[in-house]
């Protein structure tokens, strides 16, 4: 449980930083301000999750530490080359993470589940991303091909990092496997879950005007 | 008036970005979160100032545009080499700007004056910076000499960029010079103002444990 809250908390802090980096690439001041708003929303989630760790009498820094290296590895392997790649990463990455955590939220105690669901509630920022990406593709259709490849790479890197984290952190894998008095996820269910994640990803890529 | 609100607004947006850069240099996750809070406070000020421009039926982006190049020049010439230089810049730069704008606030209409005073109200974040810098100097006194030089350079660059902006923007210079039915600042008063700014800077450097 602590591991789950900690990986989420560090994920949000790290999303804040990456969106700040994206803001530097924004073509206009209005775009910069919009991305900054997205960054600040992620930091708000970080505050909630950190507070939950503190309430559980856990040192948030210590709890987050094991997830710093894998998340930084993910970000290093998926550094956006420009503004549009940054937008697609923010949208696709955040959505995949949201789908995944909402799936596992059903296996958590009610308090933690509600917090996780609150953190990943749609903030409405995706509308901004979808508009910008569709406009860029309309202006230059070649952009669509490049961003479609980029979206596939993001999905691949996200899955491989998630597997690494799950393999290293028994507690997280245990959450999925279940325990005494708590139903887990069997292999069939896990397979279905990944199918659902992939389907949702495909729908989102289509919303952006991209082939998944 | 529009020029003043616009330079303030862009200054705050730009401070948000610089603090995000500083967050990347933070030695611990707690320090990173603290700097992110400072960045978010600056962005909150940006929101207030942008709203004021919108209320005046001004396009905020267009109004801010003339100040992008000078402020970026200031930031480019004072890019912090490490975490401590970033902290000193955030503290000293923000404080000099605050002193300056509070001085000229007295020459504004009450609505704008109250907004400017609200934006520059002390957010209490300086306590964090003072503690960190003093601790670093206590651990290694040589740090103090380097940061003292850095503080002097920041003050010099800030003044020279401010002069450039004032020289290029007649409207801003006019605010200081006064107008029909609105008392301005004469040269003697301007001299006194710079003396006060320098005195305040010296006090703040002393609070950090640095010679100004």
């Amino acid at each position: 449980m602590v591991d789950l809250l900690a990986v989420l908390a560090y994920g949000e802090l790290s999303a804040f930083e990456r969106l700040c980096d994206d803001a530097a690439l924004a073509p206009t001041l209005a775009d910069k301000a919009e991305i900054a708003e997205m960054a600040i929303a992620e930091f708000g989630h970080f505050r909630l999750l950190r507070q939950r760790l503190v309430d559980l009498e856990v040192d948030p820094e210590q709890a987050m530490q094991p997830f710093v290296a894998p998340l930084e590895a993910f970000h290093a392997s998926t550094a956006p080359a420009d503004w549009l790649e940054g937008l697609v990463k923010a949208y696709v990455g955040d959505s995949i993470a949201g789908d995944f955590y909402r799936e596992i939220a059903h296996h958590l105690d009610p308090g933690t589940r509600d917090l996780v669901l609150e953190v990943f509630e749609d903030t409405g920022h995706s509308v901004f991303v979808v508009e910008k990406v569709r406009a860029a593709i309309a202006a230059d259709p070649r952009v669509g091909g490049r961003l479609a490849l980029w979206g596939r790479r993001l999905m691949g890197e996200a899955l491989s990092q998630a597997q690494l984290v799950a393999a290293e952190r028994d507690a997280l894998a245990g959450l999925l496997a279940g325990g005494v008095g708590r139903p887990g996820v069997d292999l069939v269910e896990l397979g279905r879950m990944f199918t659902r994640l992939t389907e949702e990803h495909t729908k989102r890529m289509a919303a952006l005007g991209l082939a998944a």
Side-chain angles (χ1 to χ4, degrees), chain A:
Chain A
M1 180 69 63
V2 167
D3 259 7
L4 178 74
L5 292 168
V7 70
L8 278 172
Y10 187 70
E12 295 290 336
L13 181 57
S14 160
F16 168 80
E17 282 198 274
R18 295 294 87 74
L19 286 165
C20 284
D21 291 346
D22 292 342
L25 301 170
T28 72
L29 293 177
D31 290 333
K32 196 188 282 291
E34 189 74 35
I35 288 288
E37 295 283 3
M38 291 170 66
I40 291 171
E42 305 284 12
F43 194 84
H45 299 155
F46 163 73
R47 281 199 202 106
L48 290 173
L49 292 157
R50 180 182 53 184
Q51 188 52 50
R52 181 80 176 180
L53 287 165
V54 170
D55 292 346
L56 294 169
E57 292 175 22
V58 171
D59 174 357
E61 277 201 73
Q62 223 175 321
M64 289 189 285
Q65 210 59 57
F67 305 108
V68 172
L71 266 157
E72 291 312 303
F74 169 71
H75 287 304
S77 67
T78 56
D82 60 18
W83 165 244
L84 288 171
E85 288 192 7
L87 284 185
V88 171
K89 180 174 168 181
Y91 173 61
V92 169
D94 202 48
S95 310
I96 297 173
D99 286 347
F100 178 71
Y101 290 118
R102 267 191 301 267
E103 289 271 356
I104 61 175
H106 303 301
H107 304 279
L108 303 174
D109 68 277
T112 310
R113 184 182 60 218
D114 293 348
L115 176 64
V116 170
L117 293 177
E118 183 185 346
V119 162
F120 285 105
E121 206 166 277
D122 189 10
T123 49
H125 286 126
S126 55
V127 176
F128 169 77
V129 174
V130 171
E131 274 175 16
K132 291 283 162 183
V133 172
R134 294 191 79 103
I137 296 171
D140 178 1
R142 284 170 308 176
V143 166
R146 177 164 69 83
L147 292 179
L149 278 175
W150 174 242
R152 264 171 273 172
R153 230 188 88 205
L154 288 171
M155 185 67 174
E157 294 283 348
L159 289 177
S160 86
Q161 283 299 326
Q163 278 171 335
L164 278 179
V165 170
E168 273 181 33
R169 304 296 296 180
D170 288 346
L172 275 182
L175 257 183
L176 286 176
V180 178
R182 193 170 52 75
V185 182
D186 63 21
L187 277 180
V188 175
E189 177 51 27
L190 204 63
R192 282 198 199 113
M193 189 174 101
F194 277 104
T195 306
R196 284 194 297 271
L197 289 180
T198 312
E199 281 169 1
E200 290 302 314
H201 174 66
T202 306
K203 276 189 216 160
R204 274 189 301 268
M205 295 295 278
L208 289 174
L210 302 174

